[in-house]
Amino acid sequence: MFDIKNIYEPNTIDEALEILYRENSKIIAGGTDILISLQHGKFSEVTLLSLRNIQELKNIVKLENGNIEIGAMASFTDIFRSEEINNNIPVLAEAAVSMGGPQIRNMATIGGNVCNGAVSADSATTLFNLNSKLLIKSKEKERLVSIKEFYLGPGKVNIDSNEVLVKIIINKKDYENYYGNYIKFSNRKAMDIAMLGVSVLGSIKEGKFNDLRISLGVAAPVPIRCIEAENYARGLKITMENIDKISEMALLNAKPRNSWRGSRDFRIHLIKELTKRGILKVIERAGGNIYE
Ligand SMILES: Cc1cc2nc3c(=O)[nH]c(=O)nc-3n(C[C@H](O)[C@H](O)[C@H](O)COP(=O)(O)OP(=O)(O)OC[C@H]3O[C@@H](n4cnc5c(N)ncnc54)[C@H](O)[C@@H]3O)c2cc1C
């Protein structure tokens, strides 16, 4: 059923990087995407490199400086159960628990979710709002890439075959005093890929939007930030009229398409409506008011 030539199971990152350096092999994390590709015959006689035994890739830690680091092999269950995530970035736990079903969440990793490059990835939009950085290593070098620069196109990401995504880094300044909401719209409540995903992250001050970040999944070839709407919102008084206008402006950066999951027109409707609901939820969570 699976055309696998060999599988390596190193215990350390260095061992994994050495194997990737000397032998053409494909990384397997939770396997929930790659095993499907294998079953569909996308690879033949593949050598797999499993990251499952590398404990340090599973850590979720808050550093002394307040930055949060999420190991690439942290599963979605690890994330939505993590005290650090729930205490500091609950919107990421909200996104994590929306993905798949319990079995998939137990196996699927956040590293696999972003490295797979799907525009529907449930972690991606929230990671975009958090200005996340990805630490990527090969035997010869390491580099830090912003999540925005990581997504190159549908299924295409900025990582070479000899590189490993080690961890995702979220700076304190990008989550502290922010409140968030992730809304996934799909045809079924569970085990379904998003027809549209909207993540909103915001901080409010003295009745105004201090900073508002809006990201969309499945609204363009890659996850996107709604920069025009975000710039318009900065410093704006929190009124229903302004919230409507910001939600409308979220469309300016979107390029939704027809697909069998949903039509372009329906996605346009969802972008406006779910952005509005997301903003309202963020205001509620921040303890803010809507003014006349
Ligand atoms: C039934 C089902 C339901 C699903 N539902 C959802 C859903 O609701 N939402 C959603 O977003 N996704 C969903 N998925 C897709 C999938 O589960 C996720 O994308 C998952 O996060 C992939 O993680 P993984 O660890 O299984 O990756 P894998 O399948 O192991 O790997 C995916 C890709 O990433 C590469 N890779 C993995 N880790 C690394 C690393 N550390 N460094 C470099 N490259 C790496 C692999 O080589 C491969 O190309 C679903 C899948 C199934 C089968």
Side-chain angles (χ1 to χ4, degrees):
M1 185 161 95
F2 298 118
D3 194 1
I4 299 170
K5 189 167 113 193
N6 193 5
I7 180 158
Y8 291 102
E9 295 181 296
N11 294 309
T12 66
I13 297 174
D14 283 348
E15 270 178 66
L17 296 177
E18 182 63 40
I19 295 165
L20 287 170
Y21 178 73
R22 65 160 201 260
E23 195 168 334
N24 186 12
S25 34
K26 184 77 185 149
I27 291 176
I28 178 167
T32 60
D33 278 320
I34 194 154
L35 288 178
I36 291 173
S37 303
L38 273 170
Q39 199 182 25
H40 289 173
K42 205 170 154 198
F43 307 99
S44 55
E45 287 205 28
V46 67
T47 294
L48 291 178
L49 173 77
S50 168
L51 302 178
R52 287 194 74 77
N53 291 342
I54 307 179
Q55 286 309 315
E56 61 184 299
L57 289 180
K58 297 181 186 170
N59 297 337
I60 300 174
V61 288
K62 184 174 178 185
L63 305 182
E64 266 180 26
N65 64 9
N67 292 354
I68 294 197
E69 299 190 343
I70 305 172
M73 285 298 288
S75 71
F76 280 79
T77 302
D78 294 334
I79 291 167
F80 87 78
R81 288 198 180 144
S82 157
E83 217 172 288
E84 299 299 7
I85 300 295
N86 279 288
N87 289 344
N88 298 289
I89 321 176
V91 60
L92 192 57
E94 189 168 52
V97 83
S98 78
M99 88 80 80
Q103 300 91 336
I104 293 291
R105 289 195 289 270
N106 285 343
M107 295 303 294
T109 65
I110 192 160
N113 202 226
V114 295
C115 287
N116 199 48
V119 69
S120 56
D122 278 313
S123 66
T125 44
T126 303
L127 292 176
F128 265 66
N129 279 347
L130 291 162
N131 291 327
S132 309
K133 305 264 186 319
L134 312 186
L135 179 69
I136 295 170
K137 279 189 182 179
S138 67
K139 186 181 165 182
E140 289 147 319
K141 63 173 196 301
E142 66 175 55
R143 57 197 180 101
L144 208 53
V145 180
S146 78
I147 186 127
K148 197 164 162 276
E149 287 159 14
F150 188 69
Y151 275 83
L152 302 177
K156 277 203 197 118
V157 287
N158 177 359
I159 194 163
D160 288 333
S161 56
N162 64 346
E163 290 181 312
V164 173
L165 167 62
V166 173
K167 59 184 153 191
I168 297 171
I169 302 165
I170 298 160
N171 285 331
K172 182 180 173 186
K173 68 173 174 48
D174 284 305
Y175 72 79
E176 199 179 49
N177 300 322
Y178 279 84
Y179 296 83
N181 182 223
Y182 177 66
I183 306 176
K184 172 182 185 170
F185 189 94
S186 53
N187 285 316
R188 297 192 314 171
K189 280 269 172 251
M191 295 296 257
D192 202 0
I193 301 293
M195 185 192 299
L196 194 91
V198 178
S199 195
V200 179
L201 190 73
S203 70
I204 60 179
K205 205 169 164 186
E206 294 158 7
K208 294 180 178 161
F209 292 109
N210 185 39
D211 188 17
L212 194 64
R213 302 178 188 176
I214 303 163
S215 291
L216 305 175
V218 208
V222 293
I224 51 160
R225 283 274 291 270
C226 300
I227 296 299
E228 312 255 358
E230 293 183 9
N231 288 342
Y232 179 77
R234 197 160 300 117
L236 210 61
K237 192 172 175 194
I238 302 176
T239 65
M240 211 55 222
E241 199 185 340
N242 284 336
I243 294 167
D244 281 335
K245 174 80 177 160
I246 297 164
S247 309
E248 182 86 32
M249 285 183 77
L251 279 170
L252 294 175
N253 293 93
K255 292 186 184 73
R257 288 195 322 166
N258 289 313
S259 79
W260 66 266
R261 280 204 166 82
S263 68
R264 178 178 177 276
D265 286 349
F266 188 44
R267 285 197 168 94
I268 287 174
H269 168 74
L270 287 175
I271 290 168
K272 285 189 281 189
E273 182 57 31
L274 300 186
T275 301
K276 182 174 163 178
R277 289 186 199 182
I279 296 171
L280 290 173
K281 185 55 86 181
V282 164
I283 296 165
E284 181 194 318
R285 287 179 172 169
N289 296 311
I290 296 167
Y291 298 91
E292 290 292 311

